[in-house]
């Protein structure tokens, strides 16, 4: 097994996750099988209880693991399926060691950071690195490890020590360290400064690790004399210094690595070159095509993102990426209009009239409306108003998790005239509980007590838009993350009023997908379809939203070639509907 460690220096937010993912893409393009591990030095056992404002979105895996958002980058870039063990945290490591101590595994020895914690880290890495994540048998060839945080952080010290020991443990030729650092330009002098990187590398060496490759982040391409200076002071060959400067979209990052022969440098350190040659030159024709295609898109499609975390785009990272997948597949330039849900509410009209006016202008100017998942009652009324606007004005609408639940609440209030309709999450005493707490849930234990991970949803309505978008499948496996669900006792009343529950679980009691058949496109999903959106295969529901918002829904649905409604869905062959789409950038620029 070969290992590539990616560390970061100077400042956080340099793009280590994108860099690690891109390294994996290039190595995979060389014909190698790649897996990944993300190390997060925080004490939480997982990301499940962390605020999106502080840490960005919580990414959910098939096995129900609530993990760091960088694992979402890995899955999308590399088209793999990871497990919760691919995300290591300080909490997990200490918990594992303490459990062993309580069982008496250490035979009375004093349990210490060295060697017990550091050994646990190394054992964890070796164990997880051997697990295939690409659907094939046998262990991968290379494991890309990203160490979160910045070199010098006190919480990272046990991991730095463990990784220093690990490089000696696996031996020369099996370990490559890529250090991502900043080369800033001071406006006063207008010169690219190498000193921050020099100090960062010195600190790394002082901790027992020496970089094999420098990945330098900068706004503009590095000047040649800067590379020479970095090589001299950091003891890294010029051929092993790669420059990741700002680009129009992050699909260009693997191409930057390829063009600068980063794969050759990595494979040489890992002793994977044969007769001086790489296994094969990286095949990245599709990546080049996608990056070029994205840059050329001009026809806009505006999607109003109505949520309460709109101040931090990382809170909805996977949603943005899924929208980008779909928009490029439909040859549209995505424009996300961030609409704070609180600003749509009536109270905002009195307290912050300008913000209220702006929010409604953005909502009404959008081609489609998306209400993503979330927790808590802040801004819920604004989301309900957004769903009401979309329903009454035939504007394409996609509600995810909470977005589906508030659509159900709005329908009950406006169409069924149940004025007190609500979720017991927001009003435990509601007389019309449209959304209720799951029976098996826990109200005292917060972490990992939700309905999590991959679950199967069965389609119950022949010819519905959702089934067509999924290629006329009889069922679909998507990832869940919720504590509340639609009240099954009220479903018959909803259906009589015209709201269709087209997707349900195997018991038929848990609602998975809703549709308004008379509407252009009004769909809600209890699951999170954004988590399984991939470069070459946009999420079907997101594809439907973008198609509807850009006037392309009917041609898209016609590709399904449905026979008649009398034909059971289970008898209809599953078709591949979707053209090759792109990998997804978060922002228009790969910036700090």
């Amino acid at each position: 097994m070969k290992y590539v460690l990616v560390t970061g220096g100077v400042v956080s937010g340099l793009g280590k996750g994108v860099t690690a993912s891109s390294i994996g893409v290039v190595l995979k393009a060389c014909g190698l099988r790649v897996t990944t591990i993300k190390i997060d030095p925080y004490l939480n056992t997982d990301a499940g209880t962390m605020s999106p404002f502080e840490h960005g979105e919580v990414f959910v895996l098939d096995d129900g693991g609530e993990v760091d958002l960088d694992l979402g980058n890995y899955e999308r870039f590399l088209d793999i399926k990871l497990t919760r063990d691919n995300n290591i945290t300080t909490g997990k490591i200490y918990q594992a060691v303490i459990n062993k101590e309580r069982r008496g595994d250490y035979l009375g020895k004093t349990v210490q950071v060295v060697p017990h914690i550091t050994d646990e880290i190394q054992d964890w890495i070796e164990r997880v690195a051997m697990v295939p994540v690409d659907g094939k048998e046998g262990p991968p060839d290379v494991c890309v490890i990203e160490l979160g945080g910045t070199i010098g952080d006190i919480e990272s010290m046990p991991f730095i020590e463990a990784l220093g020991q690990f490089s000696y443990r696996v031996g020369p030729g099996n370990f490559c360290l890529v250090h991502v650092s900043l080369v800033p330009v001071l406006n006063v002098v207008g010169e690219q400064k190498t000193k921050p990187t020099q100090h960062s590398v010195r600190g790394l060496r002082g901790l027992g690790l020496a970089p094999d490759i420098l990945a330098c982040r900068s706004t503009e391409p590095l000047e040649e004399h800067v590379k020479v200076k970095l090589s001299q002071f950091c003891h890294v060959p010029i051929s092993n210094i790669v420059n990741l400067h700002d680009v129009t979209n992050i699909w260009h990052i693997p191409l930057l690595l390829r063009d600068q022969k980063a794969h050759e440098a990595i494979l040489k350190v890992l002793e994977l070159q044969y007769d001086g040659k790489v296994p094969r030159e990286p095949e990245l024709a599709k990546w080049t095509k996608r990056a070029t295609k994205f840059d050329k898109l001009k026809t806009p499609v505006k999607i109003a993102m109505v949520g309460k975390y709109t101040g931090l785009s990382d809170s909805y990272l996977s949603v943005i990426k899924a929208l980008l997948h779909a928009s490029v597949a439909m040859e549209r330039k995505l424009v996300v209009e961030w609409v704070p849900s609180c600003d749509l509410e009536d109270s905002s009209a009195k307290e912050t009239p300008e913000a209220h006016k702006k929010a409604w202008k953005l909502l009404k100017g959008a081609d489609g409306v998306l209400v993503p998942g979330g927790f808590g009652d802040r801004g819920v009324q604004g989301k309900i108003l957004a769903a009401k606007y979309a329903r009454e004005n035939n504007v394409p609408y996609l509600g995810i998790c909470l977005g589906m639940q508030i659509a159900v609440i709005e329908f009950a209030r406006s169409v069924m005239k149940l004025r007190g309709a609500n979720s017991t999450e927001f009003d435990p005493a509601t007389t019309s509980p449209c959304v209720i707490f799951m029976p098996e849930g826990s109200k005292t234990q917060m972490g990992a007590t939700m309905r999590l991970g991959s679950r199967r949803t069965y389609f119950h309505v022949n010819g519905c838009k959702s089934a067509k978008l999924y290629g006329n499948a009889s069922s679909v496996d998507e990832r869940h993350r919720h504590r509340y669900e639609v009240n099954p006792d009220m479903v018959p009343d909803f259906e009589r009023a015209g709201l269709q529950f087209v997707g349900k679980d195997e018991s038929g009691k848990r609602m998975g997908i809703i549709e308004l058949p008379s509407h252009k496109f009004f769909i809600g999903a209890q699951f999170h379809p954004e988590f399984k959106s991939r470069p070459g295969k946009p999420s079907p529901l997101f594809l439907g939203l973008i198609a509807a918002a850009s006037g392309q829904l009917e041609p898209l649905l016609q590709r399904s070639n449905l026979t008649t409604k009398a034909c059971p869905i289970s008898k209809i062959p599953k078709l591949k509907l979707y053209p090759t789409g792109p990998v997804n950038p978060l922002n228009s620029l790969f910036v700090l």
Side-chain angles (χ1 to χ4, degrees), residues 51-213:
S51 167
F53 274 129
E54 184 173 318
H55 194 70
E57 77 169 5
V58 176
F59 191 80
V60 178
L61 302 171
D62 267 8
D63 67 356
E66 297 173 284
V67 296
D68 183 84
L69 55 81
D70 278 322
L71 274 78
N73 283 328
Y74 305 155
E75 284 205 341
R76 283 183 286 267
F77 271 58
L78 296 167
D79 194 19
I80 55 179
K81 288 186 179 180
L82 301 172
T83 71
R84 67 182 74 223
D85 287 344
N86 290 88
N87 191 191
I88 301 175
T89 70
T90 299
K92 286 181 179 179
I93 295 296
Y94 274 76
Q95 189 173 64
V97 169
I98 290 171
N99 288 342
K100 288 181 179 180
E101 185 271 331
R102 292 290 85 187
R103 289 198 305 264
D105 291 6
Y106 298 118
L107 301 175
K109 291 183 178 179
T110 302
V111 180
Q112 297 175 292
V113 172
V114 181
H116 301 100
I117 294 296
T118 52
D119 283 353
E120 183 67 30
I121 293 168
Q122 295 176 71
D123 293 344
W124 192 303
I125 291 172
E126 277 197 329
R127 183 182 77 251
V128 174
M130 298 298 290
V131 178
V133 294
D134 56 3
K136 300 177 182 178
E137 295 184 359
D141 300 309
V142 181
C143 177
V144 179
I145 306 165
E146 179 193 348
L147 175 61
T150 306
I151 293 301
D153 294 344
I154 190 169
E155 58 265 27
S156 299
M157 292 305 178
F159 291 102
I160 293 289
E161 175 62 28
L163 290 164
Q165 294 179 18
F166 189 68
S167 65
Y168 178 76
R169 177 170 170 173
V170 299
N174 294 315
F175 188 88
C176 176
L177 198 163
V178 180
H179 188 58
V180 183
S181 186
L182 176 67
V183 179
V185 173
L186 300 181
N187 292 332
V188 178
V189 293
E191 178 186 3
Q192 292 177 334
K193 309 300 288 185
T194 64
K195 195 64 71 177
T197 297
Q198 292 180 45
H199 281 298
S200 181
V201 170
R202 186 179 299 122
L204 189 61
R205 288 180 179 279
L207 295 170
L209 286 170
D212 298 296
I213 295 169

Side-chain angles (χ1 to χ4, degrees), residues 272-290:
L272 283 171
Q273 288 184 325
Y274 305 101
D275 298 325
K277 297 180 180 179
V278 299
R280 76 175 188 212
E281 286 300 315
E283 297 177 1
L284 289 168
K286 289 183 179 180
W287 278 81
T288 305
K289 184 177 179 180
R290 290 166 188 159

Side-chain angles (χ1 to χ4, degrees), residues 357-396:
K357 182 179 179 181
K358 180 182 177 182
W360 275 102
K361 183 178 179 180
L362 290 174
L363 181 66
K364 291 181 177 180
D367 301 310
V369 177
L370 192 152
V371 178
F375 297 91
D377 60 357
R378 187 171 66 85
V380 164
Q381 183 57 34
K383 296 177 182 180
I384 290 174
L385 290 172
K388 179 181 176 69
Y389 168 79
R391 181 183 59 79
E392 292 182 342
N393 293 277
N394 205 29
V395 176

Side-chain angles (χ1 to χ4, degrees), residues 181 183 192 214-223 227 240-247 253 256-257 260 262 590:
S181 186
V183 179
Q192 292 177 334
L214 279 181
C216 298
R217 286 285 291 111
S218 60
T219 53
E220 300 293 334
L222 283 186
E223 298 171 13
K227 285 188 177 182
N240 286 19
I241 298 176
V242 295
N243 178 211
L244 304 179
H245 55 77
D246 290 353
V247 290
I253 301 305
L256 281 179
L257 291 172
Q260 296 176 74
F590 178 53

